[in-house]
Amino acid sequence: AEAAPDALRTAGVLGTMKKRIGERLVEAGLIDRTQLTVALGDQRRWGGKLGSTLIRRGFVTDMDLVPVLGRHLGVRYARLEGRKIPREILSRLQPGIARKYNVLPIGLRGRTLLVATADPTDLRALDAVQFAANMNIQPVLAIEDEIRAAIDLHYGEGRKGVDPLPKRIPLA
């Protein structure tokens, strides 16, 4: 088994969770027990994450789900819409890596890079991002569509981190 990044251990992502996310959503009044039962049935039938199933069914929005999920996992939550990220933070991660894993560097805390992700439990992706950034990372939960939009905004839509060649090469 792979060792989990220390940032995840301290964030509480790998700790045992006393309540399941579905129960937390019921307690928060975001869904009722019938909706939870339907979503759990869909999840058993087709697989996937419960949150995605609830969103696909229209029982919750991602804006409803993410803050509850963040509390559940013990991970901070950040809105990315309208957030300006300095170049020195963005430069810590290549655009191709950001796109591949749908993550975005959003800040530094000491020597740790704060990375927005829609899935802070995806240890393989976080290990790969940590390796690519060559520094410790701490996951910050964010809405998946906001991450994609912020990647397009900050790194350039559709760009893979390679600038096109100039049309004319200047002569000295």
Side-chain angles (χ1 to χ4, degrees):
E2 294 177 24
D6 289 336
L8 293 179
R9 277 193 208 95
T10 59
V13 172
L14 300 179
T16 57
M17 291 174 249
K18 293 181 180 158
K19 288 187 180 175
R20 295 178 179 261
I21 187 64
E23 290 299 317
R24 290 185 186 261
L25 292 167
V26 169
E27 287 175 3
L30 294 173
I31 61 172
D32 60 36
R33 293 229 174 263
T34 302
Q35 291 170 319
L36 177 58
T37 302
V38 169
L40 288 170
D42 286 357
Q43 185 185 29
R44 275 191 295 277
R45 213 170 294 120
W46 295 298
K49 296 190 182 260
L50 180 61
S52 298
T53 302
L54 290 165
I55 291 169
R56 188 177 59 252
R57 279 276 190 172
F59 295 158
V60 296
T61 66
D62 48 6
M63 303 242 308
D64 294 330
L65 178 66
V66 170
V68 175
L69 186 59
R71 283 190 301 278
H72 180 68
L73 296 173
V75 177
R76 284 185 42 216
Y77 160 66
R79 288 294 313 268
L80 300 180
E81 192 174 57
R83 187 177 191 149
K84 301 287 185 214
I85 301 167
R87 278 207 177 283
E88 57 270 14
I89 301 297
L90 292 168
S91 69
R92 302 286 180 142
L93 196 62
Q94 291 294 316
I97 297 294
R99 287 186 195 288
K100 179 177 182 177
Y101 295 107
N102 199 40
V103 298
L104 185 71
I106 60 171
L108 277 174
R109 178 172 288 151
R111 299 173 136 211
T112 300
L113 185 65
L114 303 177
V115 178
T117 176
D119 186 359
T121 65
D122 186 346
L123 300 182
R124 289 182 188 205
L126 294 175
D127 280 343
V129 170
Q130 183 164 294
F131 180 78
N134 195 28
M135 63 189 306
N136 289 330
I137 65 166
Q138 180 177 351
V140 176
L141 190 60
I143 295 171
E144 189 169 0
D145 290 341
E146 285 187 9
I147 297 170
R148 276 195 206 98
I151 289 170
D152 288 346
L153 175 70
H154 292 291
Y155 286 123
E157 190 169 350
R159 292 177 49 196
K160 301 289 182 205
V162 178
D163 288 325
L165 293 173
K167 292 187 194 265
R168 253 192 256 167
I169 299 174
L171 299 174

